[in-house]
Amino acid sequence: MRNSQVQIPTSREQCLALDAADPLAPFRTQYTLPANGVYLDGNSLGVLPVRTPEIVRRTVEEEWGQDLITSWNKHGWTELPFVLGDRIAPLIGAGPAEVVVCDSVSVNLFKVLTAALRLRSGRRTVLGERDSFPTDLYIAEGVTGLFEGARSVLLPSLDSADDLDAHLDEGVAAVVLSQVDYRTGRLLDMGAITAKVHAAGALMIWDLCHSAGALPIELTTHQVDFAVGCTYKYLNAGPCAPSFLYAAPRHHAAVEQPLTGWFGHAAPFAFESGYRPAEGIGQFLTSFPPLLALAGLRATLEIWEDVDLAQLRAKSLALTGLFIEQCADLEVVTPRQEKLRGSQVAIRHQDGFPVVQALIERGVIGDFRAPDLMRFGFTPLYVSYTEVWDAAQALREVLASGEWQAERFATRGAVT
Amino acid sequence: MRNSQVQIPTSREQCLALDAADPLAPFRTQYTLPANGVYLDGNSLGVLPVRTPEIVRRTVEEEWGQDLITSWNKHGWTELPFVLGDRIAPLIGAGPAEVVVCDSVSVNLFKVLTAALRLRSGRRTVLGERDSFPTDLYIAEGVTGLFEGARSVLLPSLDSADDLDAHLDEGVAAVVLSQVDYRTGRLLDMGAITAKVHAAGALMIWDLCHSAGALPIELTTHQVDFAVGCTYKYLNAGPCAPSFLYAAPRHHAAVEQPLTGWFGHAAPFAFESGYRPAEGIGQFLTSFPPLLALAGLRATLEIWEDVDLAQLRAKSLALTGLFIEQCADLEVVTPRQEKLRGSQVAIRHQDGFPVVQALIERGVIGDFRAPDLMRFGFTPLYVSYTEVWDAAQALREVLASGEWQAERFATRGAVT
């Protein structure tokens, strides 16, 4: 079932040995972790890096508090959306001046999808997956609602690139897909799908929310047109921190995005009355992201400068593989094949909600997605092999003991 | 020239006496002010409230760092856009559930202007002022570019509501105006203009960036349709903090905004594949604002609960009146008439840039807007009468001495 040299431990002793030899283990000290727990929800909200409070404090007290407006130059505020975009670029296989940090994933998807429909003006269909993270579907509805005759078509979940064949007709302007499914953890083949979409004359937009910081991504290699992604899951920039937007340089000259705020202008401080988009990636800026939120991103991206993405991927596959094998008697919906797997594992269980609550009481923090999925995220920079072993044993014990049936676990919360 | 009972001091002794009797003086201790200076740039970036660092720290270290995803419920994150909107509402004359905090001014203007064009589907013209803050004009271009036959028409600066008469024909869908001009500080008559726009069958959208927190605003009284505004100038929420959006309740049922992200959905956590907008103001949410940035807004709005807006306005007019009278021999472009004046004073001077730099060296922080305007913002909660007196004398001395001609003041920076 496995198809790489990733070593999956089969005992707690092996886990301890792997942790001792883990080249990524030193990163763990860079994060603030729950005192007596195993945090397996980094695919929802990444934990706080140790260095972040001080960098936020400095931004608040020194940059804002003392230096005030002079910080725009003195502390390089003006350049931050580009500087931080350039630091994210290597994590997603992009080059300098191809990524910018701004707004939310939803707003950035709105920009690139509208731009895509304009670039393919003879075509009016947007393809997506019915089970994608809903905001992508809703934004596709919002965008197509602005173009006469445009529509958003939702397909069943793709098993492979070939599933697109029947739908890639000459009416398709753009395809929007999540590289990693937020529920199942299924990883799509970015190269094969992008090539197929291009062969049909359409543009490819990838949502990287569940893949950026979870595995190596190769946007340039695969000639992806546009991508968006969040920074608060595997990248640990802080709750709802600003998103990033990638646009292939070959589109920079012809593209036209509709959220034409002043920071996307060629000369924002000339205060001209007519809009002239900036050249390059800057034209995707609208306004300026909140500086306090950018401080969280500045902090965490310092850590990522030292991460080897091949090591990250190898450990991620080992952690998810370990959890899957230890839960093999449960209904694991995450693909066993490594090339089809992101960095999370989902298990279907009709009583998933109280089971997750019972696990949380034992200190194992995962989450639940209606109607019946338990999700566990594995963040290689701060989760150890031994923790994953212990979490799997805890899950088995919770199920075997029936402790999840206690009344206190029955109420379904809105988010957690 | 004056038309109210606002007392304008004519000596430094009178300023000291007014400061001693100022009912708003105690608020000054709530803000972190430059050590040896007078900060007259709160109309660009409001200073740091004393309480903010601790509230941000708690949000970072305790809410994010310790409580992680449980904070969505435990610390009420989920409700923050509404709770904070309701706290802004009394500052702009709106009611509960009519204001929401999210995104930037530009993005929010995009939402309400698109919504307005849909509500007035037989009409395709958007009117604005040529000298408005550029992002409003650029967004109007971006929105009209999405509607067949739509156009944005820019008028010369309005002196009164009557100046609109010639332009309010049956093609006008919406009018977008800044209540206070970002350069000159001119205050428009919200009631007269909104009434005129409604009489012509169009919708009225106000940009409150330079008026929220600077003077009382009466959106409900004047039956305004939509409004947007920033929180980082007179409201001190922190650099580029999230914006607010107001929509009159009479529009909530029929309105349709295009940035249909998942937090605007009727049931965001049901993860439905089709978009169903939330009822009420919630439908204007797109995604969730960054929590670190919201922390700054939470902090500052605590202060505003105790502010009497009539006292605020009286002091604002006295401060601006004082500065204008002390600079009467210069080319003051801000209206002398109180009802036409916001909370800033602009002075035209062909060498405005080096003059402002020389003033900054003396500790008086104003700013410059090309080609020739020196701007001074007067924030009644933390600027004293005596400071304004001293600032005006400093300006007179800088001009009289010619010290601004020194070479070190000649370089023009990008922002400051």
Side-chain angles (χ1 to χ4, degrees):
Chain A
M1 211 170 283
R2 304 206 323 267
N3 55 356
S4 82
Q5 294 312 306
V6 171
Q7 186 186 352
I8 308 294
T10 56
S11 70
R12 196 169 195 276
E13 288 64 39
Q14 284 181 22
C15 288
L16 287 165
L18 282 172
D19 283 331
D22 177 12
L24 297 178
F27 284 101
R28 187 175 162 92
T29 60
Q30 308 258 11
Y31 297 93
T32 307
L33 296 169
N36 296 304
V38 182
Y39 191 68
L40 301 182
D41 213 7
N43 54 324
S44 176
L45 174 60
V47 300
L48 172 67
V50 170
R51 71 183 68 202
T52 299
E54 169 58 14
I55 291 176
V56 172
R57 188 200 63 74
R58 235 159 48 206
T59 302
V60 170
E61 297 185 29
E62 295 171 19
E63 299 188 7
W64 172 19
Q66 286 172 31
D67 293 332
L68 286 156
I69 46 163
T70 64
S71 293
W72 284 101
N73 294 323
K74 185 172 176 183
H75 298 293
W77 284 1
T78 315
E79 293 305 313
L80 275 180
F82 305 103
V83 169
L84 298 177
D86 283 352
R87 287 193 196 148
I88 289 171
L91 304 180
I92 58 177
E98 297 175 2
V99 181
V100 73
V101 169
C102 55
D103 297 311
S104 63
V105 171
S106 303
V107 169
N108 284 334
L109 180 58
F110 185 92
K111 296 177 196 174
V112 297
L113 184 52
T114 303
L117 277 163
R118 285 171 164 169
L119 287 169
R120 290 293 179 270
S121 56
R123 298 161 170 245
R124 296 288 81 151
T125 301
V126 175
L127 286 187
E129 280 184 310
R130 190 180 304 135
D131 291 328
S132 268
F133 189 73
T135 213
D136 291 4
L137 311 180
Y138 303 161
I139 290 292
E141 271 192 61
V143 170
T144 52
L146 290 163
F147 289 85
E148 182 84 29
R151 62 186 188 137
S152 167
V153 174
L154 303 185
L155 311 176
S157 291
L158 304 177
D159 284 324
S160 78
D162 297 339
D163 291 346
L164 279 173
D165 289 341
H167 308 280
L168 278 172
D169 59 36
E170 291 187 353
V172 177
V175 179
V176 181
L177 294 171
S178 278
Q179 191 182 12
V180 173
D181 186 296
Y182 81 106
R183 296 165 311 115
T184 66
R186 177 225 52 197
L187 172 65
L188 289 177
D189 184 336
M190 178 176 278
I193 289 175
T194 304
K196 213 174 260 287
V197 168
H198 285 171
L203 296 169
M204 186 67 221
I205 301 171
W206 286 101
D207 175 340
L208 307 177
C209 285
H210 288 265
S211 44
L215 45 97
I217 301 168
E218 295 296 344
L219 296 182
T220 304
T221 302
H222 299 311
Q223 299 184 48
V224 169
D225 298 290
F226 302 103
V228 296
C230 83
T231 61
Y232 53 83
K233 297 180 185 294
Y234 294 90
L235 293 179
N236 303 78
C240 307
S243 145
F244 63 83
L245 181 158
Y246 164 84
R250 66 183 175 279
H251 293 308
H252 290 189
V255 79
E256 216 184 321
Q257 68 91 1
L259 280 161
T260 49
W262 73 304
F263 265 100
H265 194 279
F269 294 100
F271 301 100
E272 299 173 5
S273 58
Y275 186 72
R276 286 190 296 125
E279 287 184 8
I281 194 68
Q283 69 192 297
F284 287 95
L285 277 177
T286 299
S287 47
F288 209 86
L291 270 299
L292 274 58
L294 287 181
L297 185 56
R298 282 156 83 172
T300 187
L301 290 177
E302 290 178 6
I303 301 174
W304 282 91
E305 285 179 19
D306 301 320
V307 177
D308 178 322
L309 292 178
Q311 288 177 350
L312 183 89
R313 177 64 171 157
K315 184 175 174 189
S316 161
L317 287 171
L319 296 179
T320 51
L322 165 59
F323 196 75
I324 288 172
E325 296 211 356
Q326 290 301 311
C327 298
D329 50 340
L330 301 175
E331 190 181 347
V332 175
V333 301
T334 303
R336 256 90 169 167
Q337 247 192 301
E338 291 178 350
K339 69 175 184 180
L340 301 180
R341 196 161 80 219
S343 201
Q344 70 170 59
V345 174
I347 296 173
R348 177 165 288 131
H349 192 290
Q350 62 176 8
D351 296 302
F353 181 78
V355 171
V356 165
Q357 301 310 307
L359 267 174
I360 289 173
E361 193 174 85
R362 280 172 171 258
V364 176
I365 303 169
D367 69 17
F368 174 78
R369 283 291 177 264
D372 55 10
L373 286 186
M374 303 187 286
R375 296 194 313 172
F376 303 94
F378 300 88
T379 44
L381 297 189
Y382 57 85
V383 171
S384 71
Y385 293 90
T386 312
E387 283 182 317
V388 175
W389 179 273
D390 292 345
Q393 303 322 307
L395 174 56
R396 297 164 68 94
E397 286 168 26
V398 162
L399 289 169
S401 69
E403 66 194 64
W404 58 270
Q405 298 175 42
E407 203 173 335
R408 66 185 181 283
F409 299 133
T411 314
R412 179 167 302 180
V415 181
T416 59
Chain B
M1 208 168 283
R2 304 206 323 268
N3 54 355
S4 82
Q5 295 310 307
V6 171
Q7 188 187 352
I8 309 294
T10 55
S11 70
R12 195 168 195 276
E13 289 64 39
Q14 283 181 22
C15 289
L16 287 165
L18 282 173
D19 284 330
D22 177 10
L24 298 178
F27 283 101
R28 189 176 161 90
T29 60
Q30 308 258 11
Y31 297 93
T32 307
L33 297 169
N36 296 304
V38 181
Y39 191 66
L40 301 182
D41 212 8
N43 54 322
S44 176
L45 174 60
V47 300
L48 171 66
V50 170
R51 71 183 67 201
T52 299
E54 169 58 14
I55 291 176
V56 172
R57 188 201 63 74
R58 237 159 48 205
T59 302
V60 171
E61 296 185 28
E62 295 171 21
E63 300 188 7
W64 172 18
Q66 287 173 29
D67 294 331
L68 285 157
I69 47 163
T70 64
S71 293
W72 284 101
N73 294 322
K74 186 172 175 183
H75 298 293
W77 284 1
T78 316
E79 294 304 313
L80 274 181
F82 305 103
V83 168
L84 298 177
D86 283 351
R87 287 194 197 147
I88 290 171
L91 304 180
I92 58 176
E98 297 175 2
V99 181
V100 73
V101 168
C102 55
D103 297 311
S104 64
V105 171
S106 302
V107 169
N108 285 333
L109 179 58
F110 185 91
K111 296 177 195 173
V112 298
L113 184 52
T114 303
L117 277 162
R118 285 171 164 170
L119 287 169
R120 290 291 179 273
S121 56
R123 297 161 170 246
R124 296 289 82 151
T125 301
V126 175
L127 286 187
E129 281 183 308
R130 189 180 305 136
D131 290 329
S132 268
F133 189 73
T135 213
D136 292 4
L137 310 180
Y138 303 161
I139 290 292
E141 271 191 61
V143 170
T144 52
L146 290 163
F147 290 85
E148 182 84 28
R151 64 188 186 135
S152 168
V153 174
L154 303 184
L155 311 177
S157 292
L158 304 178
D159 284 323
S160 78
D162 297 340
D163 291 346
L164 279 172
D165 289 341
H167 308 280
L168 279 171
D169 59 37
E170 290 186 353
V172 177
V175 179
V176 181
L177 294 172
S178 279
Q179 190 183 11
V180 172
D181 185 297
Y182 80 106
R183 297 165 310 118
T184 66
R186 177 226 51 198
L187 172 66
L188 288 177
D189 184 338
M190 177 178 278
I193 289 174
T194 304
K196 213 173 257 290
V197 168
H198 285 171
L203 295 169
M204 186 68 220
I205 301 171
W206 286 101
D207 175 339
L208 307 177
C209 285
H210 287 266
S211 44
L215 44 95
I217 300 168
E218 295 296 342
L219 296 182
T220 304
T221 302
H222 298 311
Q223 299 185 47
V224 169
D225 298 290
F226 302 103
V228 296
C230 83
T231 62
Y232 52 82
K233 296 180 185 292
Y234 293 91
L235 293 179
N236 304 78
C240 307
S243 146
F244 63 84
L245 181 157
Y246 164 85
R250 66 182 175 279
H251 293 310
H252 290 187
V255 79
E256 215 184 321
Q257 68 91 359
L259 279 162
T260 50
W262 72 304
F263 265 99
H265 194 278
F269 295 100
F271 301 100
E272 298 172 7
S273 59
Y275 187 72
R276 287 190 296 125
E279 288 182 8
I281 194 71
Q283 69 191 298
F284 286 96
L285 277 177
T286 298
S287 46
F288 209 85
L291 269 300
L292 273 58
L294 287 182
L297 185 55
R298 284 156 81 171
T300 187
L301 289 178
E302 291 177 4
I303 301 174
W304 282 91
E305 286 178 19
D306 301 320
V307 176
D308 177 324
L309 293 178
Q311 287 177 351
L312 183 89
R313 177 64 170 156
K315 183 174 173 188
S316 160
L317 288 171
L319 297 178
T320 51
L322 164 60
F323 197 76
I324 288 172
E325 296 211 357
Q326 290 301 312
C327 299
D329 49 338
L330 301 175
E331 190 181 346
V332 175
V333 301
T334 303
R336 257 89 168 167
Q337 249 193 297
E338 291 179 350
K339 69 174 185 180
L340 300 181
R341 197 163 81 218
S343 202
Q344 70 170 59
V345 174
I347 296 173
R348 177 165 289 131
H349 192 290
Q350 65 175 7
D351 297 301
F353 181 78
V355 171
V356 165
Q357 301 310 308
L359 267 174
I360 290 172
E361 193 174 88
R362 279 172 171 257
V364 176
I365 304 169
D367 68 17
F368 174 78
R369 283 291 175 263
D372 55 10
L373 286 186
M374 303 187 286
R375 296 194 314 172
F376 303 94
F378 299 88
T379 46
L381 297 189
Y382 57 84
V383 170
S384 70
Y385 293 90
T386 313
E387 284 182 318
V388 174
W389 179 273
D390 291 345
Q393 302 324 307
L395 174 56
R396 297 163 67 95
E397 286 167 25
V398 162
L399 289 169
S401 70
E403 67 194 64
W404 58 268
Q405 298 176 41
E407 203 174 335
R408 67 185 180 281
F409 299 135
T411 314
R412 178 167 302 179
V415 181
T416 59

